[in-house]
Amino acid sequence: MKFLNSFFRRPLTVKLEIEPEFLASLMENGQIHASNFRCLDFSSKQIVWKMLLSLSKSRFGNDGKPA
C-alpha cells in the first residue's frame, strides 16, 4: 500500500457508481453511513433521501418508537 500512497496526494477520494439496492443493504446493516459519502448530483441525492426515509420508517414505527 505504501507504493500506491506515493502516487496520490491527500485527501484521497474515489468516485464510484453503486446500485441503490446494494447501498441500501450496506446502510441497513450499518456498514456505511450517510455521513461517509456525498451525492454528486440531485437525482442521486433524491434516491438517498428516499432510502434514508424508508430505512428510518422500517426501524421506527409511525409513533416514532423503535420497532
Side-chain angles (χ1 to χ4, degrees):
M1 208 50 148
K2 289 182 183 181
F3 178 74
L4 286 177
N5 287 337
S6 65
F7 289 105
F8 302 106
R9 296 183 196 157
R10 302 268 182 220
L12 182 63
T13 60
V14 177
K15 296 180 182 180
L16 300 172
E17 183 173 305
I18 189 169
E19 291 292 325
E21 294 81 15
F22 186 67
L23 179 59
S25 175
L26 291 173
M27 293 178 78
E28 188 173 28
N29 294 325
Q31 295 171 317
I32 192 169
H33 188 268
S35 65
N36 298 128
F37 63 90
R38 65 187 171 105
C39 297
L40 299 179
D41 59 42
F42 185 71
S43 175
S44 296
K45 188 176 239 181
Q46 285 183 316
I47 291 169
V48 171
W49 270 108
K50 288 178 183 177
M51 186 183 309
L52 290 169
L53 289 172
S54 178
L55 289 171
S56 295
K57 188 175 180 180
S58 69
R59 286 188 182 166
F60 297 96
N62 290 336
D63 57 2
K65 296 180 182 175

